[in-house]
Amino acid sequence: MTFDVVGNAALALHDRSAAWRFVEGFAAAWAEPIEASDGWNHADLNATEDRLGVRLPDAVRDAYALFGKRPDLTSNQDWLLTPAELRLDHDVLVFRDENQSVASWGAGLDADDPTVVVKLDLVHKAEEHWDSWLPRFSLACVELVLSESLFRDGAETADREMSEVDISLLENRFALLPLHSPGTRWFVSDDLIVREDEGEWLWARARTPLALEQLQKALPGEWTTEH
């Protein structure tokens, strides 16, 4: 099954329903199709609202109801919190934690599809603050699913430190995804996804073993392919 990652990501930029179609299409092509049992039910989400004393944004409810029980899509490296684990940090709904607890992601409570922010866990708690991540929760879900695909068990994945020539190779040989989370850029070609972090590290996911071989030819270097 083929899936137009670039085209569908572009549609998801300004359309919440398109973001959910991206997640469904990506899951079907790069993992396993989403089924009805892969989401939390309304009773679970209502119980969370009662516990927290707030109304969950519509986009948050949509995401959890669609694929909230699919850790292979959401929690290979970092963790999407379960409804029972969702927590408040003042007016921010914390929904995701970094795997070593050095960062958390949160969503506002003031919109149907709120902005997403990120906060580092610092030694001096008074210095912690929320920084902008992505403008909409649904778009952050697109980024989340892509990121977690880089660490899926049994998948064709690879990573390595960047070299001086990688920037031009990426820009010339791959299409740039319209995602702009701080410090990262996403590149795509047929059956390949590459994330560039801070101009320092590359993470890649191939849909097939052949695509992984093509990656190593397109971006030669000392790739680590076993994790």
Side-chain angles (χ1 to χ4, degrees):
M1 177 180 178
T2 61
F3 178 70
D4 180 5
V5 175
V6 176
N8 283 282
L11 293 175
L13 278 177
H14 307 291
D15 184 345
R16 187 167 89 219
S17 61
W20 309 143
R21 291 195 297 273
F22 179 98
V23 173
E24 290 177 311
F26 186 81
W30 290 73
E32 286 80 37
I34 291 175
E35 300 181 351
S37 59
D38 291 337
W40 295 93
N41 62 41
H42 291 300
D44 296 317
L45 300 175
N46 291 342
T48 296
E49 291 184 333
D50 292 341
R51 175 175 61 84
L52 295 177
V54 298
R55 178 182 175 277
L56 297 177
D58 289 348
V60 174
R61 292 186 68 103
D62 289 348
Y64 274 83
L66 178 63
F67 63 99
K69 291 184 177 181
R70 283 287 299 271
D72 63 309
L73 295 177
T74 66
S75 305
N76 296 313
Q77 173 78 358
D78 304 325
W79 302 308
L80 179 71
L81 303 184
T82 67
E85 294 170 332
L86 290 171
R87 63 185 187 269
L88 291 177
D89 185 342
H90 301 290
D91 58 349
V92 173
L93 177 72
V94 182
F95 66 89
R96 188 184 185 200
D97 285 334
E98 196 270 342
N99 72 93
Q100 295 181 332
S101 300
V102 301
S104 296
W105 289 263
L109 295 168
D110 56 350
D112 291 342
D113 195 359
T115 57
V116 170
V117 290
V118 63
K119 181 170 72 173
L120 299 180
D121 183 18
L122 304 178
V123 173
H124 301 291
K125 298 302 180 183
E127 298 178 1
E128 293 182 353
H129 55 86
W130 290 103
D131 293 313
S132 296
W133 181 252
L134 283 168
R136 291 170 36 252
F137 178 83
S138 60
L139 188 60
C141 287
V142 170
E143 197 274 348
L144 181 156
V145 168
L146 287 171
S147 285
E148 294 304 317
S149 77
L150 302 172
F151 304 96
R152 180 182 170 90
D153 287 343
E156 303 290 340
T157 60
D159 68 279
R160 68 165 172 79
E161 188 174 7
M162 291 186 68
S163 67
E164 293 181 358
V165 300
D166 285 330
I167 294 294
S168 60
L169 289 175
L170 281 167
E171 293 176 347
N172 291 332
R173 301 186 182 188
F174 293 78
L176 178 65
L177 277 187
L179 297 175
H180 302 288
S181 49
T184 66
R185 292 197 300 170
W186 290 89
F187 294 88
V188 177
S189 67
D190 291 343
D191 292 334
L192 282 171
I193 295 170
V194 181
R195 190 181 78 191
E196 170 210 334
D197 284 355
E198 303 284 356
E200 297 178 354
W201 206 266
L202 297 177
W203 303 90
R205 167 73 192 278
R207 203 164 73 90
T208 66
L210 176 59
L212 188 62
E213 293 178 13
Q214 293 171 340
L215 166 72
Q216 294 169 317
K217 292 178 180 178
L219 295 171
E222 296 183 5
W223 289 94
T224 299
T225 57
E226 297 181 2
H227 298 279

